[in-house]
């Protein structure tokens, strides 16, 4: 908890880059996606993956998928301590091998400020790499009074078309993230978008939507595809 609080003090919830302030993201050329996924039935063998795609074409520029052995036990609310070290190593390898392909923003398969202590995987990775980062989750992390109750399900059902969204406002009064319908064919399966580091929530939502060809934004979809191939 003390380490999360210490690192959490460095989180910047505002846009820090010029490309973020442009309506069409002029100047953004490289978007990264990261994920750590486990072999089914094995909680210690996982694939740490990083991809970098061109923007806005979404063409793969760089891929790094490696099997790793996870030794830190899972503790709810502290997932980052189990997974982030491997993702930091992937970013560092990229910096050493192909520094010109360093991503200008990372889309993380997980949560950012949408976390019991406001410091999820996307925040943790963003602070340690000093890269703008965005949390993109497929399920709601229940915190600050937010829950998968009937009210939430009713709000999900209200997402009728692509681009529909609503804020995740906790009982504290703080907006923790945004629920977005990225594909009207899958309005019952929205995305939970939250700030990681060095980006505003508004910009995070706009960027994630601009990266979606399907329900899942391309950087994360590609990194999951690569990990799936390696785990076969």
């Amino acid at each position: 908890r003390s380490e999360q609080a210490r690192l959490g003090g460095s989180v910047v919830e505002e846009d820090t880059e010029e490309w973020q302030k442009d309506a069409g993201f002029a100047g953004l050329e490289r978007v990264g996606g990261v994920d750590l996924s486990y072999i089914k039935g094995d909680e210690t063998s996982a694939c740490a993956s990083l991809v970098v795609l061109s923007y806005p074409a979404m063409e793969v520029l760089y891929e790094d998928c490696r099997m790793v052995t996870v030794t830190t036990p899972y503790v709810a609310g502290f997932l980052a301590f189990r997974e982030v070290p491997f993702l930091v190593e992937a970013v560092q390898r990229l910096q050493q091998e192909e520094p010109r392909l360093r991503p200008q923003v990372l889309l993380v398969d997980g949560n950012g400020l949408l976390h019991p202590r406001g410091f999820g995987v996307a925040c943790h990775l963003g602070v340690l790499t000093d890269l703008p980062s965005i949390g993109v989750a497929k399920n709601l992390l229940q915190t600050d009074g937010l829950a998968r109750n009937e009210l939430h399900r009713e709000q999900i059902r209200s997402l009728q078309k692509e681009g529909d969204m609503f804020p995740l406002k906790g009982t504290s009064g703080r907006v923790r993230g945004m629920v977005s319908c990225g594909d009207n064919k899958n309005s019952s399966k929205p995305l939970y978008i939250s700030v990681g580091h060095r980006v505003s929530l508004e910009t995070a939502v706009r960027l994630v939507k601009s990266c979606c060809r399907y329900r899942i934004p391309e950087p994360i979809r590609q990194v999951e595809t690569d990990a799936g191939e390696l785990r076969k």
Side-chain angles (χ1 to χ4, degrees):
R1 287 175 180 267
S2 61
E3 182 70 357
Q4 281 184 332
R6 182 183 72 81
L7 293 173
S10 299
V11 171
V12 176
E13 301 176 38
E14 301 173 353
D15 294 327
T16 62
E17 309 301 299
E18 286 303 314
W19 61 262
Q20 296 168 331
K21 303 168 187 177
D22 183 87
F25 295 127
L28 177 61
E29 299 177 347
R30 299 174 306 282
V31 179
V34 293
D35 182 35
L36 192 138
S37 54
Y38 298 85
I39 290 180
K40 189 174 183 179
D42 186 345
E43 295 185 357
T44 61
S45 296
C47 180
S49 307
L50 163 67
V51 300
V52 180
L53 306 185
S54 64
Y55 187 90
M58 295 288 118
E59 296 177 347
V60 177
L61 302 175
Y62 176 91
E63 298 173 286
D64 182 2
C65 302
R66 303 195 182 195
M67 294 304 299
V68 297
T69 300
V70 182
T71 57
T72 303
Y74 169 73
V75 180
F78 300 95
L79 177 66
F81 292 97
R82 176 175 168 87
E83 298 188 349
V84 163
F86 300 106
L87 302 179
V88 169
E89 288 176 2
V91 174
Q92 291 173 338
R93 280 195 299 272
L94 167 60
Q95 181 64 35
Q96 294 169 357
E97 298 170 4
E98 295 282 357
R100 64 185 181 84
L101 296 180
R102 180 178 172 88
Q104 293 164 275
V105 60
L106 287 173
L107 269 58
V108 183
D109 188 1
N111 292 292
L113 294 180
L114 183 57
H115 179 270
R117 285 168 296 284
F119 196 70
V121 172
C123 296
H124 206 131
L125 182 61
V127 168
L128 292 184
T129 61
D130 197 31
L131 285 171
S133 59
I134 299 169
V136 184
K138 305 176 189 71
N139 298 293
L140 175 65
L141 178 62
Q142 302 185 91
T143 182
D144 195 11
L146 298 166
R148 291 189 292 268
N149 52 25
E150 183 54 36
L151 173 60
H152 185 72
R153 287 189 286 270
E154 183 178 330
Q155 290 174 311
I156 294 296
R157 288 193 290 269
S158 73
L159 301 176
Q160 295 296 318
K161 62 182 184 299
E162 184 175 344
D164 282 357
M165 64 185 73
F166 63 86
L168 286 166
K169 189 174 184 179
T171 54
S172 66
R174 183 179 184 182
V175 175
R176 298 282 183 162
M178 192 74 71
V179 182
S180 174
C181 177
D183 182 343
N184 59 6
K185 295 178 182 178
N186 288 293
S187 59
S188 63
K189 296 181 179 180
L191 297 175
Y192 295 85
I193 303 168
S194 58
V195 169
H197 183 48
R198 293 178 57 188
V199 63
S200 68
L201 181 58
E202 178 184 358
T203 297
V205 172
R206 284 198 302 121
L207 180 60
V208 169
K209 288 169 62 177
S210 75
C211 290
C212 287
R213 290 178 175 170
Y214 307 98
R215 176 194 169 218
I216 307 299
E218 279 301 294
I220 291 179
R221 196 177 75 86
Q222 290 286 347
V223 86
E224 290 178 342
T225 299
D226 287 353
E229 288 297 320
L230 186 60
R231 295 198 309 269
K232 286 182 179 179

